[in-house]
Amino acid sequence: EDYDWWTFSLAFNTTQEQIEDLYKYEFAGYDELGVYIDNKDSRVIVTIHCRVDMSSIIDPYDYEDYYDDEDDEDIEFATDDELLNLLVQVRHQLIKGDYRTLYAVWEQYGFDKEDEDNQDCEIPVPPEKNSGNDIVEQFKNILAEE
């Protein structure tokens, strides 16, 4: 963290197929804000360079009330740090193959919203899911403008 410039790194073991899928979401946008993927054998590191709107995460919330996805009851890690809890949930989504948060980073930093010619992207649009929408929305809300 450097003022509102942040680097989030999420690492986990996975398959080569998932590593290849994650590389599809790699990009460097304005001022190198973006998603970077690195791997060593079956270990992948997803690094997100972004700006964080601190006003969206200052007030702590009750983790048990916020996290209500029935599929993901196996997450037992929780702290009073709202940002850390959010990143744990994002990591869990990535492990399960849900890349909507990476796409949210693309939407924020990957292309010029004013330039209609630049809106055809090679970043795949991840499928909508019935669960985890609140996590994606919370993550989108912390991303500050360029």
Side-chain angles (χ1 to χ4, degrees), residues 7-21:
T7 301
F8 301 132
S9 293
L10 309 166
F12 52 93
N13 292 326
T14 188
T15 64
Q16 189 61 40
E17 180 182 3
Q18 185 174 26
I19 291 170
E20 290 170 13
D21 286 345

Side-chain angles (χ1 to χ4, degrees), residues 108-146:
Q108 187 68 17
Y109 306 120
F111 63 90
D112 184 355
K113 295 170 188 73
E114 305 295 321
D115 183 2
E116 290 182 21
D117 294 333
N118 196 15
Q119 294 198 15
D120 292 328
C121 66
E122 295 185 28
I123 303 284
V125 178
E128 289 299 317
K129 303 215 181 236
N130 292 331
S131 63
N133 294 324
D134 50 347
I135 297 166
V136 176
E137 197 60 37
Q138 175 89 14
F139 192 81
K140 280 183 181 181
N141 289 337
I142 70 167
L143 297 176
E145 294 287 326
E146 301 170 6

Side-chain angles (χ1 to χ4, degrees), residues 11-111:
F12 52 93
N13 292 326
T14 188
T15 64
Q16 189 61 40
E17 180 182 3
Q18 185 174 26
I19 291 170
E20 290 170 13
D21 286 345
L22 285 163
Y23 270 110
K24 295 175 186 174
Y25 290 89
E26 184 175 53
F27 76 94
Y30 176 78
D31 277 347
E32 304 302 314
L33 299 170
V35 174
Y36 301 86
I37 309 296
D38 193 17
N39 75 291
K40 175 81 172 154
D41 301 322
S42 65
R43 187 96 174 140
V44 68
I45 301 169
V46 178
T47 304
I48 301 169
H49 293 278
C50 60
R51 294 188 58 213
V52 173
D53 177 6
M54 292 304 290
S55 68
S56 68
I57 58 174
I58 288 175
D59 296 322
Y61 64 96
D62 183 351
Y63 180 76
E64 294 300 323
D65 288 344
Y66 174 74
Y67 195 78
D68 60 1
D69 283 340
E70 293 174 15
D71 309 326
D72 301 329
E73 290 177 358
D74 56 337
I75 295 181
E76 297 176 9
F77 180 80
T79 73
D80 291 334
D81 185 325
E82 179 178 351
L83 181 58
L84 181 57
N85 283 329
L86 178 61
L87 292 174
V88 167
Q89 294 171 58
V90 167
R91 179 180 176 270
H92 188 70
Q93 283 185 325
L94 293 175
I95 290 169
K96 292 176 78 175
D98 184 346
Y99 308 130
R100 292 176 292 165
T101 52
L102 301 181
Y103 191 77
V105 178
W106 164 258
E107 289 179 312
Q108 187 68 17
Y109 306 120
F111 63 90

